[in-house]
Amino acid sequence: MAELAITSGREAGRTIGFQDDAITIGRAPDNVLVLDDPAVSGHHCTVVRDGGKVTLRDLDSTNGTVLNGNPVKEARLKPGDTVGIGDVTLVVKGDDIDIEPPSPDAEAPTPAPSAPKPAPAPKPSAAGAMPPTVQGPSPFGAKKDTKWIWVSALVLVGLLVIAALAFFFFRLYES
């Protein structure tokens, strides 16, 4: 008879047998297998048996469902497979489970979506060269050398200070 054996977590040692029906697994009390684990969603996943075929389906759980160490959305189960749900591990047992590989027309296990990978950092290139993604003319025009503006402004301020001091001392000398 097909069954799920709980091998870790608070329910370790417990087994759930099933026939041609679905086992709902989650934290909510209306599930067939209720797991008291904060990492388990209210309605986490189902294990459905149709004849000799057993299928695991994740129910868009928050922390995902893991089959033999890999996150999955849906996959066929066979004896010896380990299913991770939160901190609970279940092992599939039974000599009446169809272990024939699915036909080529059948869908492959659907892996869980993963977070998008960040783009690799651009490799350093020749000094002053721009990465290929930003080469080309700038919409702001060419960069201009503004050093002469600062020097001119500093000279002008200096001349104004000298003129002001000269005016002040000249007025003081006349009185």
Side-chain angles (χ1 to χ4, degrees):
M1 180 171 125
E3 62 185 15
L4 294 173
I6 304 172
T7 59
S8 70
R10 294 180 186 169
E11 300 285 326
R14 181 176 167 198
T15 59
I16 303 291
F18 56 97
Q19 296 301 319
D20 289 338
D21 55 358
I23 295 178
T24 55
I25 303 171
R27 217 176 47 234
D30 61 339
N31 288 292
V32 174
L33 176 55
V34 178
L35 298 175
D36 184 25
D37 181 337
V40 175
S41 295
H43 295 97
H44 199 97
C45 64
T46 62
V47 177
V48 179
R49 180 169 181 170
D50 181 17
K53 299 173 186 172
V54 179
T55 305
L56 170 69
R57 286 190 187 99
D58 183 82
L59 299 175
D60 294 325
S61 61
T62 303
N63 294 317
T65 302
V66 177
L67 175 61
N68 298 325
N70 299 309
V72 294
K73 283 291 187 183
E74 182 172 322
R76 282 266 308 269
L77 297 178
K78 62 185 181 307
D81 281 345
T82 58
V83 178
I85 304 169
D87 292 330
V88 178
T89 303
L90 304 136
V91 176
V92 179
K93 296 185 176 189
D95 54 6
D96 58 343
I97 296 175
D98 182 7
I99 58 171
E100 290 296 318
S103 68
D105 299 335
E107 290 185 29
T110 308
S114 60
K117 294 180 181 176
K123 294 180 181 176
S125 57
M130 295 169 57
T133 56
V134 291
Q135 283 183 349
S138 169
F140 305 108
K143 183 178 177 185
K144 298 178 182 174
D145 184 21
T146 58
K147 186 176 182 181
W148 69 271
I149 295 174
W150 290 105
V151 171
S152 300
L154 188 59
V155 168
L156 183 61
V157 168
L159 288 175
L160 287 173
V161 168
I162 291 172
L165 287 173
F167 179 77
F168 174 73
F169 284 119
F170 188 73
R171 298 274 292 171
L172 186 64
Y173 179 73
E174 283 185 356
S175 3

